[in-house]
Amino acid sequence: AGGGVGAGAPSGGGGVPVLFCFSVFARPASVPHGAGYDVLIQKFLSLYGDQLDMHRKFVVQLFAEEWGQYVDLPKGFAVSERCKLRLVPLQIQLTTLGNLTPPSTVFFCCDMQERFRPAIKYFGDIISVGQRLLQGARILGIPVIITEQYPKGLGSTVQEIDLTGVKLVLPKTKFSMVLPEVEAALAEIPGVRSVVLFGVETHVCIQQTALELVGRGIEVHIVADATSSRSMMDRMFALERLARTGIIVTTSEAVLLQLVADKDHPKFKEIQNLIKASAPESGLLSKV
């Protein structure tokens, strides 16, 4: 048995040697006797996490000597002896349903600054929809994080945007909003699952923020009527690219009503007042 599967695997602490296979890789490790599915998944993540697309569904398989091939991990499986496992991504991608609830949501408002005013297409519309969203966040008690891109050169957040009650306002030079301070703030909010993202520019800071958040397992909702770029071409291609990545591209009214969810919600009337007049379409419809 000396040269069998998992030979040479570390067995410190009385663990059982297991060969963890994924794609073309095979890495020996040891797990506690009796380790079940959850422990094995965690081990796969620690070994291969940087290579796994977390939007995919995976199946764990066990090499079965009697069949001479891998079989799906039997229900209730627990490691009792040396074995060989592999993680197989299924071809289907999981659809992101995009349910929003106030306790699991944070709003990110990106770089709505004075110097962008003359340059960004429909900036006035973007500001007015941003105001609605921030008022909605205050009514529903949703934390808000605001960034400002190089404020020394680009000015601070436009005065129309009310910063009352905002959790963080951070200067940045990085295009993405995912700064160490932002990650720390997210870690302080228990159960955060979704980020509602808006601001400028769609194809730069918004896109890079969205992709980085999704890479960290957070579901991202981009508010199409509250984000824009200097060119409509960049704006529309960014929204299209992001939607294809599984990011939810939505509207301010859809977000606010999803968060309220029920006409009998105690804050429904206040939210209804925000959306009585339809949000400006800021050139989106001419491009559909």
Side-chain angles (χ1 to χ4, degrees), residues 243-256:
R244 279 204 305 270
T245 314
I247 287 161
I248 294 142
V249 178
T250 184
T251 64
S252 55
E253 184 165 322
V255 163
L256 291 170

Side-chain angles (χ1 to χ4, degrees), residues 8 16 62 85 192 232 274:
V16 181
L62 168 72
L85 300 172
V192 169
M232 284 297 277
L274 288 181

